[in-house]
Amino acid sequence: MTTAPADPVATYRVQLTPDFAFAEVAGILDHLVDLGISHLYLSPILAAMPGSTHGYDWCPPARISPKLGGIDGYRLLHAHAQALGIGIVLDIVPNHIGVFDARHNHWWADVLRNGAESRYAEYFDLDLDFGDGALCLPWLPADGDLSQLRLIDGELWFGERYLPTSDGTVSSGRSAREVLDRQRYRLVPFDSRQIGYRRFLAVNELAALRQEIPRVYDATHEWLRELASDDLFDGVRVDHLDGLIDPIGYCRRLREDIGDRLLYVEKGLSVGERLDPELPVDGTTGYDQLRLIEGAFTAPSGAIELSEVYQRVTGMSGDGDELNTRASQLRHVTLIDLFSDRVRRTTALFARSAPDVPVHRVQAAVATVVSRAPVARPGYPSLAPAVVARIARIRRETPSMGDGLDVLARAFTDPDTAPEAVARHGEAVYAVSAKEIEDIGYHRTGRLVSANELGCTPLIPSVDRDEFHGALAARARNWPRSLSALSTHDTKRSEDVRARIAVIAQIPQRWTVLVLTLWGIVPPPHAQTAYFLLQNLIGVWPDAGVPGLAIRERFHAYARKSMREAQLISSWTTVDDAAETAVLEWIDQLLVGTPAELICDFVEIIAAPARDESISRKVLSLATPGVGDIYQGTQWWDDSLTDPDNRRPVDYGQSLDHPKAAMVATTLAVRRRHPECFGPGGVYEAVVCRGTSGIHVVAFTRGDADGQPHVLVAAVRLAHTFRPGPTREHAVIPLPPGVWRDAVTGADHYGSVTADVVLEDRPAVVLELL
């Protein structure tokens, strides 16, 4: 029987649905073999809330979803994959659980019925400190309207929510309001800041779980242990690691359960941050690698020029300093408005360690440090010195907060002072950062939206050569199995859409003319929103012609979601239909007549360079240190925007002769032929190209443990001014000693070669040492 390679070559992420379940996935395995994939990477497989389209709202008891094929269907898929030499990586969700429909979550239903006395109360992170100790549920509109409350056949309902009732509280003659008043919970307005349970970020329908409690861990991982005992998977991906109270402790226990199988964690790393070495994992899911590649293909001078037109059009500065200031302010507002529960509980824990310091001073210190945190999650041992240093800087700037800040500094300096406070502080930082940056901030800031992506930062959209190669050499040494992602189920837009938008920074003057002309012909109803959406519209615009009805409908849905996430003219909780409609009508005006012609002309200029750079990016993601992660359908062109748009069905009838798919297959075939160069012990070396056009080629070698290079990759960047032709004669690639054969054409090269010879008209090349 064939088995998966000892070291992964590439993963392929599939989004499971009832219409594309285990049986249907088995049908694409031959295609994955032809592509060169070593591991199938599945979205969550546990039974989830009715109607779930993603599986992250799983519900107990933890069991493989019958809608996907159940345990028998999974075993059959595993057997097929194993026979073809493909391993399986499972996406597990330890942080939260679905609670929208209590009829399908008996843990949650029991908590609602019995409050603190529930046998499952410790499973959830409850806060019962309000008033009479009832569990506050922020499910009402801002005005507290209870008109949707009903008693139906002896059951209490609020709109579509079933509300479990305590024994003896429902009897004839009692009204729905009277029954509600007798429960262990209270319905409160969403903006009341009375939140009785820790949520996944600010999502009411997902309640956080306390994995730091052994009984909770056991109840949520027994299914995985059973699969491990039968050897039915080859690795796991942990969703939302930083949302756990004790990430390191959790990973250590999980490592014990899964043995030496692959263990990946979804973990955001800020610029310059490294994955904590105490985490017993094989690496992250790849947003750090996404940032490196995205930054290498973003023209720094163009980004500066785009700041000027952004300010001219919107009246707001788009440079890094201004963005940083607005981000800090938005973090503070987000913390108070959406995560007041985190502030209150974290403050109480810190204050307990210093009873002589007024609580309000500790709270002010907590809010300030959370709002100004530069990393996704402080609290990891390797980050403690930097956190203490930052607290000291804040203390120098605001001496009036000194005693409160000293409480935090002591806790981070001495891990035994207030360990739970430090842990909850870290979780609060992550929750605020994820909501403020990824949800709100990334939909408000529009200088260059290709940089508004997971792992990236609009503050520093570009990555220079030294940082790029230095980070990759370190990755080869420290995290050779870490994933390298370009698109995921969570990215804000697909890799191909980002590649096209990034080309805008290569022609900022043309972009400025386009924007100002469009603004003159079709003045937008809200400039900041329109500027953001125009770039995304450019990203999905067809290579030729105008968008059809399907793209228009998809983009309307995306625009509505973007407006509500940004919270500038509308929001999820206070929808402004008139404002949204005005923007959608403006978008429709761009799809016809002169505006459409102008956009078509602009897209014609950037489409070909963007396609080339998309292929270059893909090759780099598969050949640089780490394990390439291919999101479903992205072996071909993919114009998806954020979810649920990126969960549309994939047409697997497309050919592998496609220019992108062909380079994927070629790169992975080379990687399979040289496992000693790409796994642990493999060496990464930069190849610095010379000549006046040398900056347009990024190149490197992959070598064995002895440092002997066996594979060389060269890829085009900033392709708008580096088209096939004479320009490529001025980029020289110095090949290491020996004869190097092109993996596609079979042509041999040696010495120093110009890009026009080795690349010809292609965007990327993979060479092997003979």
Side-chain angles (χ1 to χ4, degrees):
M1 179 172 290
T2 306
T3 58
D7 278 303
V9 176
T11 60
Y12 189 89
R13 168 73 178 209
V14 168
Q15 292 295 109
L16 296 164
T17 70
D19 295 324
F20 196 75
F22 299 142
E24 287 73 24
V25 174
I28 69 168
L29 291 178
D30 287 336
H31 169 75
L32 300 188
V33 170
D34 293 340
L35 204 58
I37 300 299
S38 65
H39 286 73
L40 176 65
Y41 167 17
L42 300 175
S43 64
I45 65 173
L46 297 185
M49 281 285 155
S52 175
T53 59
H54 48 76
Y56 289 93
D57 52 351
W58 70 276
C59 48
R63 67 208 183 281
I64 296 179
S65 172
K67 294 183 181 298
L68 299 179
I71 182 61
D72 291 337
Y74 176 77
R75 285 180 177 273
L76 188 59
L77 171 61
H78 178 267
H80 282 312
Q82 189 176 38
L84 293 171
I86 293 179
I88 293 182
V89 175
L90 300 175
D91 190 349
I92 64 173
V93 189
N95 178 266
H96 53 265
I97 196 168
V99 296
F100 177 80
D101 191 340
R103 294 172 301 173
H104 295 273
N105 186 336
H106 69 275
W107 297 350
W108 184 245
D110 196 79
V111 168
L112 295 186
R113 290 192 183 97
N114 301 301
E117 286 73 44
S118 168
R119 61 175 297 197
Y120 301 109
E122 70 173 356
Y123 282 42
F124 302 94
D125 210 347
L126 304 181
D127 184 357
L128 305 178
D129 291 340
F130 298 102
D132 57 0
L135 177 63
C136 290
L137 307 174
W139 299 347
L140 296 182
D143 59 5
D145 181 18
L146 280 168
S147 61
Q148 295 186 68
L149 191 68
R150 297 282 189 275
L151 267 176
I152 303 175
D153 297 330
E155 294 182 339
L156 189 63
W157 290 78
F158 180 72
E160 297 181 352
R161 284 187 186 271
Y162 164 66
L163 301 177
T165 53
S166 300
D167 293 343
T169 59
V170 179
S171 60
S172 60
R174 285 195 180 124
S175 67
R177 180 59 187 268
E178 289 172 329
V179 171
L180 176 63
D181 289 342
R182 296 171 67 86
Q183 303 311 312
R184 303 289 190 96
Y185 51 84
R186 298 285 178 267
L187 301 185
V188 298
F190 72 88
D191 59 354
S192 67
R193 299 179 184 172
Q194 298 182 37
I195 305 166
Y197 61 100
R198 182 163 61 90
R199 304 167 292 177
F200 166 69
L201 303 184
V203 181
N204 287 337
E205 289 73 31
L206 298 174
L209 292 168
R210 299 192 64 190
Q211 293 293 349
E212 68 273 19
I213 297 176
R215 189 163 77 98
V216 179
Y217 179 94
D218 292 341
T220 53
H221 290 74
E222 186 56 35
W223 70 279
L224 191 65
R225 290 169 172 162
E226 292 174 359
L227 292 185
S229 67
D230 290 339
D231 201 17
L232 289 176
F233 66 97
D234 300 273
V236 297
R237 175 258 193 194
V238 178
D239 180 66
H240 193 52
L241 176 71
D242 283 340
L244 298 170
I245 296 300
D246 181 14
I248 292 177
Y250 172 81
C251 287
R252 286 173 176 165
R253 187 159 190 181
L254 182 61
R255 174 57 79 191
E256 291 177 1
D257 281 345
I258 70 170
D260 61 358
R261 294 175 176 86
L262 296 169
L263 174 51
Y264 295 118
V265 291
E266 183 191 29
K267 169 87 177 80
L269 296 171
S270 60
V271 176
E273 183 184 357
R274 300 292 179 259
L275 191 62
D276 195 288
E278 289 197 24
L279 285 167
V281 303
D282 290 290
T284 71
T285 53
Y287 298 138
D288 47 325
Q289 190 81 331
L290 187 156
R291 183 189 77 85
L292 281 178
I293 295 175
E294 187 68 42
F297 287 82
T298 301
S301 59
I304 294 172
E305 291 191 52
L306 291 177
S307 294
E308 298 174 2
V309 65
Y310 181 71
Q311 184 162 15
R312 181 175 178 180
V313 169
T314 68
M316 302 177 66
S317 173
D319 65 26
D321 291 341
E322 180 66 22
L323 289 173
N324 197 38
T325 299
R326 290 205 302 270
S328 181
Q329 295 169 346
L330 183 55
R331 264 197 207 99
H332 192 271
V333 172
T334 303
L335 175 65
I336 301 304
D337 288 350
L338 297 180
F339 300 107
S340 58
D341 58 322
R342 265 72 161 191
V343 177
R344 184 175 57 255
R345 301 188 74 179
T346 303
T347 297
L349 290 166
F350 276 120
R352 192 181 301 165
S353 69
D356 55 322
V357 180
V359 173
H360 72 276
R361 291 186 180 276
V362 178
Q363 179 170 309
V366 168
T368 300
V369 174
V370 169
S371 299
R372 295 174 63 175
V375 296
R377 165 143 188 179
Y380 286 100
S382 61
L383 295 176
V387 175
V388 173
R390 176 162 288 273
I391 293 174
R393 284 196 295 273
I394 296 173
R395 196 185 194 287
R396 289 193 297 271
E397 296 166 3
T398 53
S400 61
M401 296 174 57
D403 51 356
L405 291 167
D406 289 343
V407 174
L408 273 66
R410 283 195 299 272
F412 278 97
T413 302
D414 181 359
D416 296 326
T417 301
E420 187 178 354
V422 170
R424 286 190 176 275
H425 172 270
E427 190 280 329
V429 169
Y430 182 82
V432 172
S433 296
K435 185 64 181 177
E436 175 270 327
I437 294 175
E438 296 173 12
D439 291 346
I440 302 174
Y442 280 178
H443 291 91
R444 286 189 180 184
T445 301
R447 174 174 62 170
L448 183 66
V449 301
S450 54
N452 296 11
E453 191 52 86
L454 301 179
C456 302
T457 170
L459 307 176
I460 311 171
S462 300
V463 171
D464 65 29
R465 183 173 65 191
D466 291 342
E467 181 185 358
F468 180 81
H469 289 303
L472 291 174
R475 200 174 204 245
R477 293 189 300 270
N478 302 323
W479 302 103
R481 293 192 181 98
S482 194
L483 290 181
S484 301
L486 290 181
S487 298
T488 74
H489 61 287
D490 282 330
T491 45
K492 305 304 180 185
R493 47 197 66 81
S494 76
E495 59 204 58
D496 296 329
V497 172
R498 289 200 315 275
R500 179 184 282 185
I501 294 172
V503 177
I504 292 173
Q506 299 175 40
I507 51 171
Q509 297 89 354
R510 287 181 180 271
W511 169 253
T512 300
V513 171
L514 174 67
V515 171
L516 296 181
T517 304
L518 291 176
W519 257 236
I521 299 173
V522 188
H526 187 267
Q528 189 176 350
T529 299
Y531 192 82
F532 172 89
L533 289 174
L534 177 61
Q535 291 178 66
N536 288 282
L537 183 61
I538 293 289
V540 301
W541 198 276
D543 286 3
V546 298
L549 180 60
I551 293 179
R552 176 183 177 276
E553 291 177 345
R554 287 173 47 220
F555 198 79
H556 272 211
Y558 170 76
R560 285 191 185 277
K561 180 173 182 176
S562 297
M563 287 185 275
R564 295 175 187 181
E565 293 285 8
Q567 299 179 23
L568 290 172
I569 60 176
S570 189
S571 71
W572 292 109
T573 53
T574 308
V575 174
D576 188 329
D577 285 320
E580 291 183 3
T581 299
V583 171
L584 297 182
E585 290 175 348
W586 175 79
I587 291 170
D588 287 343
Q589 289 178 288
L590 299 180
L591 305 180
V592 296
T594 301
E597 293 175 3
L598 292 170
I599 295 176
C600 283
D601 291 343
F602 184 82
V603 168
E604 185 178 359
I605 295 170
I606 66 173
R611 293 298 196 206
D612 282 354
E613 293 196 9
S614 188
I615 292 173
S616 289
R617 291 167 179 234
K618 199 67 170 180
V619 171
L620 294 190
S621 74
L622 300 175
T624 50
V627 177
D629 174 34
I630 300 174
Y631 185 70
Q632 61 177 27
T634 61
Q635 62 268 48
W636 302 292
W637 304 135
D638 175 47
D639 67 350
S640 294
L641 295 165
T642 194
D643 71 289
D645 193 55
N646 61 12
R647 296 200 299 268
R648 289 172 294 140
V650 175
D651 176 12
Y652 284 98
Q654 299 176 73
S655 172
L656 280 179
D657 290 334
H658 184 281
K660 193 177 179 187
M663 278 307 296
V664 168
T666 294
T667 307
L668 294 184
V670 170
R671 183 167 180 147
R672 283 180 177 272
R673 290 197 289 269
H674 301 276
E676 74 284 358
C677 298
F678 292 92
V683 174
Y684 173 94
E685 289 285 350
V687 174
V688 179
C689 299
R690 302 192 300 265
T692 56
S693 296
I695 63 168
H696 289 279
V697 178
V698 56
F700 56 87
T701 61
R702 302 304 310 272
D704 58 28
D706 294 328
Q708 173 62 50
H710 292 275
V711 176
L712 185 145
V713 175
V716 171
R717 61 184 289 269
L718 308 183
H720 173 67
T721 55
F722 196 67
R723 307 308 300 147
T727 305
R728 295 195 174 188
E729 298 175 7
H730 304 291
V732 180
I733 305 170
L735 302 179
V739 178
W740 294 83
R741 177 160 293 173
D742 191 317
V744 173
T745 67
D748 292 339
H749 304 280
Y750 58 90
S752 292
V753 293
T754 55
D756 64 313
V757 172
V758 71
L759 286 166
E760 300 175 343
D761 61 351
R762 296 172 292 165
V765 65
V766 182
L767 308 177
E768 297 174 89
L769 181 68
L770 291 183

